[in-house]
């Protein structure tokens, strides 16, 4: 028998992502036959009440895919055991329930403040066996020190190989596809460097606000909530060297090298290379929406809801190539994309024509699309003015290429499956998380030292004016 134990099973992430993902894995027959799923939280709850909660969450998310027979199969795996991180003795029941398990995966879908108490209680109660694994959600800490403290404490119970740090961006199909695009084609790799690439842009823009998460979000802000993890992971996949293989350590070794090559941003560079913003009232998705400081539960706050940064990867491949990173809430649209801007042709024979440099755009959200902009001749009989040229795109829409793919998978489906199958490739290793914090801490400390508070931007816009200046200073502009 194997078990997946979900702590925080009555919470938001479980309802929105984890339980629906388990349903879809059941739907596709991908869950191990002997797997049971134990929900846990500090609330007293019957098995039936937990099943009812799961049913509601799954039916709401699965919509047309909801099939009563599949649900019954999943329901047969579900049970509930109360465990309160504040009362380690309460873990005894869980330890008893797991007594005969061959393998247990503990998924901590809880506040990060509970990671250590839960891991310690699992160790002390005997619920954690030498074969057990633990899955923890980002953010792992709030800075390098707190991240190390969490890693040390969890590491005292679970060895590093059995700690799975989730960054759900690594479970996204389009993010996985970056590896295929770079390393399953010969076309790009010879050009993938400072000789041919002028700069790189990574944008993860959300149109939503903080959505009732003010108390969490205000403690972290955009740089810790999004840049330290999702955005830097995207940067790593774009910038890393080809790994020796797809085994967990080969890929992660390459990512760590990128993180360690990030040039620290300090002193006067902070003003030039970083921008913080906080949204005010505005219009998003056609509706008037409140500003950050008017959100439910808000108090006065200097937390940023938008960040733009110019990162530099100081190594042979990328020396001198700016990586512009940008993420924010309440932006003009939900759009995540990576833009690889190639250099201008060295010399143009097309006098009087503007040649736009080639651009590879990898769109991750909302639609998955890869497009390559190329200069083309406009069909016509030339007159004295010579050939007319214009940029056109080669487009690859993954939705169109796979029209029979029934639905877009939730990133957590893949990650849950990988954790159950004991494959850590898509999870963040300790040194990776810590290298990312080292760089982020430099920026955050610099903001504090220089009293750099966030500039206001209107909800529904592309962020404060400084974000445009950041790229324009180098003669570049954002592609939205
Ligand atoms: C989470 C952040 O990790 O990612 C949220 O905590 C953010 O603030 C979310 O909204 C974005 O994820 P996605 O998959 O919707 O791009």
């Amino acid at each position: 028998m194997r078990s997946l134990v979900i702590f925080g099973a009555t919470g938001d992430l479980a309802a929105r992502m984890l339980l629906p993902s388990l349903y879809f894995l059941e739907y596709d027959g991908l869950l191990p036959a002997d797997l049971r799923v134990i929900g846990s939280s500090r609330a007293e709850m019957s098995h039936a009440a937990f099943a009812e909660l799961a049913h509601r969450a799954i039916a709401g998310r699965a919509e047309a895919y909801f099939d009563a027979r599949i649900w019954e199969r999943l329901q047969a795996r579900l049970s509930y055991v109360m465990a309160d991180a504040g009362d380690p003795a309460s873990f005894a029941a869980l330890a008893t329930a797991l007594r005969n398990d061959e393998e247990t995966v503990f998924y901590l879908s809880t506040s990060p403040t509970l990671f250590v108490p839960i891991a310690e209680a699992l160790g002390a109660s005997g619920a954690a066996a030498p074969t057990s694994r633990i899955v923890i959600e980002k953010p792992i800490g709030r800075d390098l020190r707190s991240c190390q403290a969490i890693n040390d404490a969890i590491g005292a119970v679970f060895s590093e190989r059995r700690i799975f740090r989730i960054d759900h961006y690594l479970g996204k199909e389009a993010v996985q596809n970056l590896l295929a695009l770079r390393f399953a084609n010969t076309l790009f790799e010879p050009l993938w460097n400072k000789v041919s690439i002028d700069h790189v842009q990574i944008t993860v823009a959300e149109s939503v606000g903080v959505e009732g998460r003010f108390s969490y979000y205000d403690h972290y802000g955009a740089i810790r909530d999004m840049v330290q993890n999702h955005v830097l992971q995207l940067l790593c996949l774009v910038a890393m060297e080809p790994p020796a293989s797809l085994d967990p350590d080969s890929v992660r070794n390459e990512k760590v090298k990128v993180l360690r090559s990030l040039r620290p941003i300090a002193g006067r560079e902070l003003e030039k290379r970083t921008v913080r913003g906080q949204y005010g009232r505005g219009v998003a998705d056609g509706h008037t929406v409140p500003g950050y400081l008017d959100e439910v539960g808000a108090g006065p706050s200097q937390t940023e809801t938008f960040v733009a940064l110019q990162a530099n990867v100081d190594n042979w491949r990328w020396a001198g190539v700016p990586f512009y990173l940008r993420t924010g809430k309440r932006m003009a649209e939900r759009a995540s994309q990576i833009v690889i801007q190639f250099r201008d042709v060295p010399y143009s024979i097309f006098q009087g024509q503007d040649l736009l440099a080639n651009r590879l755009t990898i769109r991750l959200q909302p639609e998955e699309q890869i497009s390559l902009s190329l200069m083309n001749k406009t069909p016509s009989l030339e007159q004295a003015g010579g050939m007319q040229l214009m940029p056109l795109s080669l487009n690859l829409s993954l939705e169109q290429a796979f029209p029979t793919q029934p639905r877009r998978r939730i990133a957590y489906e893949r990650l849950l499956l990988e954790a159950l199958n004991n494959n850590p490739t898509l999870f963040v290793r300790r040194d990776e998380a810590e290298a990312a914090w080292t760089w982020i801490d430099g920026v955050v400390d610099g903001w504090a030292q220089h009293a750099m508070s966030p500039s206001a931007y209107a909800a529904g816009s592309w962020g404060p004016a400084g974000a445009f200046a950041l790229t324009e200073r180098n003669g570049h502009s954002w592609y939205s």
Side-chain angles (χ1 to χ4, degrees):
M1 176 73 79
R2 300 190 235 187
S3 304
L4 170 68
V5 181
I6 304 178
F7 291 98
T10 56
D12 181 58
L13 183 75
R16 281 187 308 113
M17 301 290 173
L18 304 181
L19 293 165
S21 294
L22 287 169
Y23 170 83
F24 284 122
L25 290 173
E26 182 78 85
Y27 192 100
D28 290 333
L30 295 172
L31 289 181
D34 62 346
L35 180 79
R36 60 182 172 160
V37 178
I38 303 179
S40 185
S41 80
R42 63 180 173 194
E44 292 285 0
M45 188 179 275
S46 65
H47 299 310
F50 178 59
E52 177 49 32
L53 179 147
H55 179 263
R56 243 179 297 127
I58 290 167
R61 175 84 195 226
E63 296 178 341
Y65 290 95
F66 190 80
D67 177 332
R69 283 164 311 173
I70 308 289
W71 159 246
E72 276 163 26
R73 286 215 306 263
L74 181 65
Q75 188 183 10
R77 300 177 188 269
L78 295 183
S79 61
Y80 183 84
V81 178
M82 179 275 203
D84 180 354
D87 172 18
S90 68
F91 278 64
L94 196 58
T96 308
L98 301 174
R99 209 175 31 216
N100 298 321
D101 258 15
E102 277 160 42
E103 239 180 64
T104 312
V105 175
F106 297 104
Y107 194 121
L108 275 51
S109 153
T110 63
S111 149
T113 52
L114 297 180
F115 292 170
V116 172
I118 292 178
E120 286 172 347
L122 288 173
S125 64
T131 52
S132 313
R133 302 189 281 283
I134 188 165
V135 183
I136 49 179
E137 274 281 336
K138 62 138 278 260
I140 317 288
R142 211 178 154 267
D143 52 20
L144 176 63
R145 251 196 32 213
S146 50
C147 177
Q148 284 170 331
I150 292 172
N151 287 334
D152 286 344
I154 296 183
V157 182
F158 297 86
S159 60
E160 176 61 23
R161 179 61 181 76
R162 296 189 291 124
I163 303 175
F164 287 61
R165 296 176 191 79
I166 281 213
D167 181 314
H168 79 275
Y169 267 56
L170 294 178
K172 289 181 189 270
E173 197 68 48
V175 175
Q176 289 278 294
N177 201 25
L178 275 173
L179 288 176
L181 183 75
R182 285 197 58 197
F183 304 125
N185 297 292
T186 49
L187 203 58
F188 297 116
E189 206 46 29
L191 305 178
W192 211 258
N193 55 47
K194 61 182 298 243
V195 177
S196 307
I197 293 177
D198 183 64
H199 72 272
V200 175
Q201 301 185 3
I202 300 179
T203 297
V204 179
E206 298 183 273
S207 53
V208 292
V210 290
E211 311 291 288
R213 295 162 75 219
F214 188 90
S215 61
Y216 153 79
Y217 191 88
D218 200 53
H219 193 51
Y220 289 87
I223 196 160
R224 296 183 172 99
D225 182 51
M226 296 294 286
V227 182
Q228 189 272 344
N229 32 77
H230 307 324
V231 176
L232 286 186
Q233 284 292 330
L234 295 178
L235 182 148
C236 285
L237 294 175
V238 171
M240 73 182 188
E241 295 300 315
S245 72
L246 279 183
D247 75 55
D249 282 329
S250 296
V251 174
R252 297 187 296 178
N253 288 345
E254 297 308 333
K255 289 198 286 171
V256 174
K257 285 187 209 160
V258 173
L259 293 167
R260 292 198 179 136
S261 306
L262 286 173
R263 185 188 307 164
I265 311 182
R268 294 185 49 211
E269 287 291 291
L270 278 158
E271 296 271 357
K272 281 205 286 189
R273 291 174 51 200
T274 74
V275 177
R276 303 177 76 197
Q278 187 186 73
Y279 63 85
R281 211 165 294 169
V283 177
D285 292 333
H287 302 284
T288 305
V289 292
Y292 182 66
L293 299 181
D294 307 318
E295 293 283 358
V296 181
S301 170
Q302 289 283 302
T303 297
E304 78 286 343
T305 60
F306 172 93
V307 192
L309 300 166
Q310 181 195 321
N312 283 82
V313 181
D314 282 343
N315 61 20
W316 278 42
R317 188 188 278 261
W318 295 115
V321 177
F323 282 72
Y324 300 111
L325 315 178
R326 158 176 86 155
T327 185
K329 301 252 181 224
R330 284 280 184 238
M331 311 232 36
E333 57 181 270
R334 176 170 184 251
S336 300
Q337 66 180 24
I338 298 168
V339 176
I340 312 290
Q341 176 65 62
F342 289 93
R343 292 195 186 278
D344 286 327
V345 294
Y347 171 75
S348 174
I349 57 169
F350 301 98
Q351 296 305 323
Q353 296 284 309
D354 283 337
L355 299 190
L356 288 189
N358 301 130
R359 193 164 74 228
L360 177 68
T361 305
I362 304 159
R363 183 92 162 166
L364 309 171
Q365 290 179 162
E367 70 286 349
E368 292 171 29
Q369 190 168 344
I370 298 171
S371 66
L372 179 62
S373 136
L374 301 169
M375 288 307 296
N376 284 266
K377 178 181 174 305
T378 314
S380 68
L381 287 180
E382 281 76 40
Q383 302 294 312
M387 258 194 222
Q388 300 295 308
L389 302 180
M390 66 180 293
L392 289 175
S393 283
L394 274 180
N395 283 327
L396 172 63
S397 153
L398 297 189
E399 274 87 358
Q400 280 168 19
F402 299 101
T404 54
Q405 194 76 353
R407 63 184 179 86
R408 191 183 283 197
R409 285 193 181 277
I410 305 173
Y412 284 88
E413 292 176 49
R414 181 191 311 275
L415 296 172
L416 278 169
L417 204 57
E418 297 290 296
L420 291 171
N421 290 337
N422 197 11
N423 180 5
T425 306
L426 298 182
F427 297 82
V428 178
R429 210 168 54 188
R430 174 174 185 157
D431 51 355
E432 233 179 300
E434 294 183 0
W437 275 123
T438 303
W439 190 70
I440 295 291
D441 279 3
V443 176
V444 173
D445 293 349
W447 284 347
Q449 276 160 18
H450 294 79
M452 280 179 65
S453 35
S455 314
Y457 65 97
S461 72
W462 282 105
F468 297 94
L470 178 99
T471 51
E472 280 161 13
R473 199 170 286 126
N474 299 337
H476 300 141
S477 34
W478 292 105
Y479 298 108
S480 50

